[in-house]
Amino acid sequence: MTLILGIETSCDETGAAVVEDGVRIHSNVVASQIDLHARYGGVFPEVASRAHIEAIAPIVEQALRDAEVTLADIEAIAVTRGPGLAGSLLVGVNFAKGLALASGLPLVGVNHLEGHVYSLWLIERESPVRFPVVCLIVSGGHSEIVLITDHGQYRQLGTTIDDAAGEAFDKVARLLGLPYPGGPAIQRVAESGDPTAYDFPRALRGEGYDFSFSGLKTAVLRAVQEPHSGKRPPKAESLTPDQLRPGVNVADVAASFQAAVVDILVEKTIQAATAHGATEIWMAGGVSANAALRATMSARSPLPVYYPPLKLCVDNAAMIASAGYFRYAQGFRDDLDMDVRPLWPLTTIAQEAGDTVG
Ligand code: KG4
Ligand code: ZN
């Protein structure tokens, strides 16, 4: 039995977890900063890194305590190295380095997107995984369709050319006067809305596997804003709820917007998966918590569809520990001079990662 301690601080959740053999969670502790950031309507980097500094030591201690282990039982420390906010990543990476130095344990740097992929290894399954699989990774910062041919082997089939799906949810929520984070808020409001009320654009439909969400955001803005007399209409991000056109049905707008995002995510993922001979479709990242996305993907896909439980969709350290375990098992180790990588494409990690292969 190999126990990995995982640490995650790439954005606005401070996480620590203990995972056995990459697949069994012994503990998974997450301190969310959502309340701190809600007042800014988004993640405020300076506030995020300060909050990580305060939370990290107690969170790691609690993860060890919940798992009823000490560092002596741990085989390696896995930490998110990127992509993410530099100041936030630094807190986790420096803490992990300190622990590694003090304990003599090996250090494994993990790509946050690979972490999201490995949240799929933490779920109960009836049959073993057979590669290749196609994973839709949709979060606040990323929207990617990735072909996975083996552990650590990724090919990007599609990505967003502008906003990430979660970012679109957050921005549209803000212009509808809904709270941050926007995804859960829009999902809630959309339940009582008509998804066919507005015919919002499905961008790049039938044109490969890339996404574009900024036109959709603008279309929502046009649909809800007061007719504007000035030369320049306000940007979606700067619209305030009192500028909403009177009589706008927020539930209908939310439901129609959500349907447009879901349609395009589902359509392109299924096309990519069938074209590349995938055995199943995976979904990961915060937006994969969306109930409409889950239901629509499962209903339309000819292949089996898997997604993690809600707690493992959003940022957490169990997925980092799992990804770290499989890297560790493949011989990857990082040195104590490991740097953070705020921009770190998933597809490059097979060739370069770890810097040392034992
Ligand atoms: O993976 P995550 O926790 O953090 C990043 O790595 O970005 O994803 C956060 C994103 C936010 O944009 C949030 O609005 C979105 O996931 N999200 C949702 C839902 N729950 C969270 N989007 C749509 N529907 C949801 N139920
Ligand atoms: Zn994430």
Side-chain angles (χ1 to χ4, degrees), residues 8 10-13 34 43 83-84 112-113 116 137-142 164-171 173 179-188 257-258 261-262 284-294 310 312-316 319:
E8 155 66 34
S10 69
C11 190
D12 59 348
E13 327 276 351
I34 279 179
V43 177
H112 180 79
L113 297 174
H116 276 300
I137 310 174
V138 267
S139 69
H142 299 271
E167 194 180 351
F169 270 97
D170 294 337
K171 286 178 177 171
Y180 174 86
I186 286 189
Q187 173 174 325
R188 204 165 43 246
F257 159 77
Q258 178 175 267
V261 175
V262 166
V287 180
S288 72
N290 186 271
L293 175 62
R294 292 173 165 209
L310 294 185
L312 296 175
C313 289
V314 290
D315 291 349
N316 66 88
M319 67 186 197

Side-chain angles (χ1 to χ4, degrees), residues 117 130-137 144-158 209 269 272-280 282 346-347:
V117 166
R130 278 189 306 121
F131 294 111
V133 302
V134 155
C135 186
L136 172 69
I137 310 174
E144 309 201 358
I145 299 178
V146 178
L147 179 69
I148 309 170
T149 50
D150 203 342
H151 286 289
Q153 301 292 326
Y154 306 100
R155 199 174 126 204
Q156 188 187 72
L157 301 178
Y209 309 129
T269 306
T274 43
H276 289 84
T279 62
E280 47 195 54
W282 293 357
L346 177 61
T347 41

